[in-house]
Amino acid sequence: MRVPLSWLREYVDVPAGTTPEDVLAALVRVGFEEEDVHRFELQGPIVVGEVLDFVEEPQSNGKTIRWCQVRVAPEGETAADGGDAVHGIVCGARNFFAGDKVVVTLPGAVLPGPFPIAARKTYGHVSDGMIASARELGLGEEHSGILRLIELGLDAPVGTDAIELLGLDDVAVEINVTPDRGYALSIRGVAREYSHSTGAPFRDPADRPWEEIAPGSGFPVSAGDLEPIRGRAGVTEFVARVVRDVDPTKPTPAWMIARLALAGIRSLGILIDVTNYVMLELGQPIHGYDLDRLQGGITVRRATPGEKLQTLDGKVRTLDPEDLLITDESGPIGLAGVMGGGTTEMSDTTRNVLIEAAIFDTVSIARTARRHKLPSEASRRFERGVDPLIPFVAARRVADLMVEYAGGTSDDEYGAALFAEVDIPGIELPPTFVQHLIGVDYTPGQIEAALRLIGCEVVEAEDDAAGWQVIPPSWRPDLTDKWTLAEEVARIEGYDRIPSVLPLPPSGRGLTAAQQGRRRVANALAAAGYVETPSFGFTTEEQNDLHGSPSGEHLPSVKLANPLDGQSPFLRRSLVPGLLQVAHRNVARGLTDLSLFEVGVVFLPKPGVRYGTSFVPPLAVRPDAATLAELNESIPPQHRYVAILLTGSIVAKQPGVAPVTADVADALDAIRTIAAAAGVSIDVTQGERAALHPGRTGVLAVGGTEVGYVGELLPAVAEASDLPGHVIVAELDLDLTLSLAGEKVVAASLSGFPAATQDVSLVLAADVPAAEVRAALVEGSGELLESLRLVDDYRGPGVPEGRKSLTFALRFRAPDRTLTAAEATEAKLAGVTVAAERFGAILRE
């Protein structure tokens, strides 16, 4: 809502010198959000000038210009720009005459754009300024000719400041109005709120005696809502007044045009301008009809199937039976509360006007505006709720302005009023409810004063312990219960009084062990340089079969009945398809070196089980144990997995350093990072999976329990995802891995004694997995072995065909003494003995 300050001052005392920022600050204190400040982007000197004479000069381009002599200062005085009182100005418009008063922008002025004005040579003359049009001044879209002051009913002395004369020195503040505070979509509402914030006296423009605002009778109006929405009548009030013998060609006053422009509404002629002006002033949408084009009386009813209406925007609309219509004997003439029809609109030939001010059902108007994609200033107000006591005032205000500025005569004896009694139920407010809800010790006097300030009637209950009976004002339909009343007290008394206190968590709560473990794993991967990339849990059945099963066989997947994407209607069994999509998107944008991970849920339905339910428990009722069990059974098992993806270079090319391409060894480093964070030891053995390269695939296990896999994607699978080069992936069942870690992770104690290192090279069959050999060495070496690491896998000269040499680095340490070389050698040879028994391994010479 844009609020011109000159308009605001009419209904509330805004102190002289108050800036727009001060006004915004005051409105923010009572709960509004500031948006912007709007001004006419003008800079003087801009003055009233008089056209003394002009000479029309045809040009070679076919255009005729006028070389004008314009008086811009009284005779004998210096002009505002410091020049002579008469300026020579070139003008292309031809809608003015000698003796006309016009608006002259002198050299040094700046028009909206910004468009600076300077003396310049054009068409063989030095044009010392410019004669402005309404559009150039920001007063509207009219650009067919220059602005003649006589058309605005103005006759100011030459040299008068035109900015002040036309109201172009005004400024508007813009605030955001939430849907529950529709009363603030008016100058009346904002002025009241400014008064609440500052204590400045407020003058209600709706405060008029009934005898002034009561319409006459004789114009037939009826309501025939046979299909009310939610049992609520489409129209509850309809006030009509008639103004006769108007002159629609009369000019809209400059101050009204300026205020409308600042409020974001362009001038469309005096009759329409008046209806828009009153709508902004009082918050009551107004519609004017050309009375002579109406056929009979007005009936408010619902549309019939297939009925059509041409609205003011020129479009023919097919109506819905829910649409509320304004009709006469000819049929529909308007979409109630949204937009009028073209057959009865006011125009330059209108002489008699029927003014409509009504109250329409909020839901009905909102549905119609959205159904026809036709939001309007009227629908914006109706769907938020309009004061049911304001239509009579608004209709009379429009009639008064039309009489004053369009030269009409108000026919107070001819009109109509269709309305129902306004019954606002009272709300019981307990005496300590506000204090307990807001957390501030308001006194009873402060609560009563705040509620009366916003317009409520407050009556103390006979029993002091019962509190108050509160009747909200008619313009506040959002005040419906004691909670909304408490919010109003907090708003008026000031949100700054509410203490900022962080709630204390109850003892014994916090993250579960599983939650802590998942966070440790995610943080460890992020610290290791991986980027977390959450993705949607939807994929195809083919991707589930390829990545969700070891051998690529078909496994059951959950298909959604209403998927977001029809091409991916299945819930994922693996995180890898999502990582492949993320990698493809990054590679397509030139990011080729990727280290990605995701921690997320996969869905593993059991074969032969149909998941889902059509049963929805009722709202506001806690389901019993049987219902919860049934709902849980309708959901497939969900496991939380962690997956990584590597592609491109793990070390980028740089001076003196060659690029290092990511391979399975780098993924194994990530597996070790996950294992350390989870508190487990993960073993890797050679394996196979349908989507991974044979010989470059590993099975991950914790204590003999398989928890995941690691390996390089098959080239065909990587190519299908448009990923060049090697793509390494790994995936673990994180929930299972954490469960195998036990409840506590105990840090190993550090020995103060030195370590003894030994190397061993074993020759054995080439098909024996290195992991099994490592396990045999660990088992045989005993408790003194601190760590064992494979450092070389050699196959070549010196090693028989079909065999390989595996070299391991062993480190021994005793907790209570320094080991001798003999003790370390003995432990190593014990491990070699076990490897020899199991695999026929021999020491390499």
Side-chain angles (χ1 to χ4, degrees):
M1 176 67 188
R2 297 184 181 185
V3 183
L5 296 192
S6 65
W7 207 347
L8 184 69
R9 286 188 172 95
E10 290 189 5
Y11 304 119
V12 66
D13 291 345
V14 180
T18 301
T19 66
E21 290 71 23
D22 294 336
V23 175
L24 284 172
L27 295 174
V28 166
R29 282 197 297 271
V30 286
F32 292 98
E33 295 179 10
E34 67 173 88
E35 292 286 341
D36 206 351
V37 175
H38 300 272
R39 296 179 172 87
F40 290 103
E41 301 299 330
L42 297 170
Q43 179 179 320
I46 301 176
V47 300
V48 173
E50 180 182 2
V51 179
L52 301 178
D53 60 61
F54 56 81
V55 177
E56 294 190 347
E57 298 179 354
Q59 303 298 312
S60 59
N61 60 4
K63 183 178 181 180
T64 299
I65 61 98
R66 289 181 174 182
W67 171 238
C68 308
Q69 299 301 310
V70 184
R71 182 177 296 280
V72 295
E75 188 174 357
E77 295 184 11
T78 301
D81 65 338
D84 295 336
V86 177
H87 281 37
I89 298 175
V90 173
C91 184
R94 306 183 60 168
N95 67 319
F96 60 93
F97 308 93
D100 275 346
K101 297 284 185 68
V102 294
V103 176
V104 180
T105 58
L106 299 175
V110 179
L111 295 180
F115 180 58
I117 304 299
R120 62 190 183 95
K121 187 173 183 179
T122 180
Y123 294 108
H125 301 282
V126 175
S127 184
D128 202 16
M130 186 180 79
I131 305 175
S133 68
R135 182 178 181 182
E136 289 163 342
L137 293 170
L139 277 174
E141 297 300 318
E142 179 58 42
H143 197 57
S144 59
I146 59 95
L147 180 64
R148 302 169 63 217
L149 294 184
I150 193 172
E151 293 177 348
L152 299 180
L154 299 174
D155 186 18
V158 170
T160 300
D161 184 353
I163 293 179
E164 181 179 356
L165 175 69
L166 298 175
L168 302 178
D169 55 347
D170 202 358
V171 60
V173 296
E174 183 176 3
I175 57 174
N176 179 36
V177 177
T178 53
D180 61 330
R181 301 175 74 178
Y183 67 93
L185 291 173
S186 66
I187 304 299
R188 178 197 185 204
V190 176
R192 180 183 284 110
E193 291 297 327
Y194 182 84
S195 172
H196 295 167
S197 176
T198 64
F202 168 68
R203 298 172 291 278
D204 191 351
D207 188 10
R208 300 184 65 169
W210 172 252
E211 55 271 15
E212 287 186 12
I213 61 176
S217 60
F219 186 83
V221 174
S222 62
D225 187 1
L226 301 179
E227 297 290 338
I229 299 176
R230 298 182 181 176
R232 293 162 49 168
V235 59
T236 54
E237 290 186 38
F238 195 102
V239 178
R241 300 190 75 99
V242 172
V243 178
R244 301 186 185 276
D245 300 323
V246 297
D247 182 358
T249 63
K250 286 209 168 185
T252 300
W255 57 266
M256 184 180 290
I257 294 176
R259 287 181 176 180
L260 290 173
L262 280 175
I265 295 180
R266 61 191 180 96
S267 174
L268 296 171
I270 183 61
L271 300 182
I272 298 176
D273 288 350
V274 165
T275 60
N276 285 334
Y277 185 84
V278 173
M279 175 186 68
L280 294 174
E281 183 176 70
L282 299 177
Q284 169 68 57
I286 301 289
H287 189 69
Y289 301 90
D290 188 327
L291 181 62
D292 299 324
R293 301 167 96 181
L294 286 172
Q295 299 181 27
I298 283 180
T299 300
V300 184
R301 61 170 175 82
R302 300 285 175 182
T304 58
E307 204 166 11
K308 297 183 183 298
L309 168 67
Q310 180 177 348
T311 47
L312 286 174
D313 58 2
K315 294 183 179 179
V316 176
R317 303 181 184 275
T318 301
L319 304 175
D320 186 272
E322 277 194 356
D323 290 334
L324 192 66
L325 302 180
I326 308 297
T327 67
D328 65 3
E329 293 179 0
S330 67
I333 58 173
L335 274 174
V338 179
M339 184 174 285
T343 58
T344 58
E345 67 175 317
M346 297 182 295
S347 66
D348 290 344
T349 62
T350 299
R351 291 295 175 266
N352 301 304
V353 177
L354 177 73
I355 302 165
E356 166 209 307
I359 298 294
F360 299 114
D361 176 51
T362 56
V363 174
S364 179
I365 301 306
R367 287 187 176 183
T368 295
R370 285 158 180 74
R371 182 181 300 115
H372 294 284
K373 297 181 176 60
L374 197 60
S376 63
E377 290 290 339
S379 66
R380 186 183 176 204
R381 286 162 174 80
F382 277 127
E383 65 191 25
R384 285 163 170 79
V386 174
D387 183 356
L389 302 183
I390 204 69
F392 296 92
V393 178
R396 180 55 191 252
R397 174 69 166 152
V398 172
D400 291 345
L401 290 175
M402 286 188 177
V403 168
E404 183 175 358
Y405 295 107
T409 302
S410 179
D411 191 344
D412 293 336
E413 302 299 323
Y414 190 68
L418 174 69
F419 64 95
E421 293 293 331
V422 177
D423 182 21
I424 303 175
I427 302 170
E428 292 185 3
L429 183 62
T432 60
F433 176 78
V434 177
Q435 295 91 326
H436 290 166
L437 181 67
I438 305 300
V440 177
D441 290 330
Y442 301 114
T443 66
Q446 289 174 327
I447 295 174
E448 287 189 42
L451 294 176
R452 287 197 172 97
L453 183 64
I454 64 173
C456 295
E457 293 183 23
V458 183
V459 179
E460 292 188 18
E462 295 181 1
D463 182 359
D464 292 340
W468 301 274
Q469 184 78 7
V470 181
I471 300 177
S474 59
W475 58 85
R476 293 299 302 271
D478 58 307
L479 301 182
T480 56
D481 49 41
K482 57 185 178 181
W483 289 275
T484 53
L485 293 178
E487 182 184 354
E488 287 299 293
V489 173
R491 186 173 70 89
I492 296 302
E493 285 295 318
Y495 292 130
D496 56 332
R497 289 192 58 184
I498 302 175
S500 299
V501 180
L502 291 175
L504 296 176
S507 60
R509 299 292 179 90
L511 298 178
T512 64
Q515 289 172 329
Q516 292 175 347
R518 291 196 292 267
R519 291 196 178 189
R520 285 199 308 271
V521 169
N523 290 338
L525 286 172
Y530 286 77
V531 177
E532 186 172 10
T533 57
S535 58
F536 288 114
F538 314 117
T539 186
T540 63
E541 192 171 28
E542 293 76 12
Q543 290 290 315
N544 271 343
D545 291 344
L546 180 62
H547 297 283
S549 62
S551 57
E553 75 275 12
H554 176 68
L555 292 177
S557 298
V558 178
K559 185 177 183 180
L560 298 176
N562 186 25
L564 291 175
D565 182 356
Q567 295 182 344
S568 301
F570 290 88
L571 294 177
R572 64 187 178 187
R573 293 185 63 96
S574 168
L575 301 180
V576 172
L579 288 177
L580 291 175
Q581 290 182 359
V582 173
H584 165 68
R585 191 175 302 115
N586 280 270
V587 169
R589 287 157 176 77
L591 303 175
T592 56
D593 301 332
L594 301 173
S595 301
L596 310 176
F597 84 95
E598 178 177 2
V599 176
V601 171
V602 299
F603 303 86
L604 306 176
K606 299 176 182 178
V609 179
R610 182 178 178 85
Y611 295 95
T613 179
S614 58
F615 169 69
V616 178
L619 298 176
V621 177
R622 178 179 175 81
D624 56 23
T627 302
L628 290 174
E630 180 183 351
L631 292 174
N632 287 331
E633 287 296 323
S634 70
I635 303 173
Q638 301 174 48
H639 292 226
R640 198 170 296 272
Y641 277 24
V642 57
I644 66 168
L645 180 146
L646 292 164
T647 188
S649 298
I650 199 73
V651 175
K653 181 180 180 180
Q654 49 194 300
V657 178
V660 178
T661 303
D663 61 13
V664 175
D666 299 301
L668 290 174
D669 283 340
I671 298 300
R672 284 187 278 272
T673 298
I674 294 173
V680 297
S681 176
I682 296 180
D683 298 320
V684 185
T685 58
Q686 194 168 15
E688 293 183 356
R689 285 190 73 89
L692 300 185
H693 200 296
R696 303 177 189 174
T697 302
V699 175
L700 309 176
V702 176
T705 301
E706 184 176 332
V707 296
Y709 63 90
V710 60
E712 180 183 331
L713 282 183
L714 285 168
V717 175
E719 184 178 353
S721 297
D722 293 325
L723 295 176
H726 299 283
V727 179
I728 316 299
V729 297
E731 186 170 39
L732 294 87
D733 186 331
L734 185 55
D735 287 341
L736 177 58
T737 302
L738 292 172
S739 69
L740 296 173
E743 294 185 358
K744 294 183 178 180
V745 177
V746 180
S749 58
L750 298 177
S751 173
F753 296 94
T757 60
Q758 297 270 338
D759 289 342
V760 63
S761 294
L762 301 176
V763 178
L764 69 168
D767 59 353
V768 177
E772 296 183 12
V773 179
R774 180 184 182 279
L777 289 173
V778 169
E779 180 181 337
S781 297
E783 296 180 354
L784 294 178
L785 180 66
E786 184 177 78
S787 68
L788 184 149
R789 181 166 54 90
L790 177 66
V791 296
D792 188 37
D793 183 339
Y794 175 74
R795 310 177 196 206
V799 176
E801 184 73 23
R803 298 177 73 79
K804 62 183 177 182
S805 172
L806 299 180
T807 301
F808 295 89
L810 299 85
R811 184 168 63 194
F812 299 93
R813 194 192 307 265
D816 56 350
R817 68 188 188 281
T818 299
L819 288 177
T820 65
E823 289 176 306
T825 300
E826 181 182 356
K828 176 186 72 174
L829 292 177
V832 171
T833 300
V834 175
E837 293 174 353
R838 293 184 182 177
F839 310 113
I842 60 175
L843 285 170
R844 184 179 176 188
E845 296 296 335

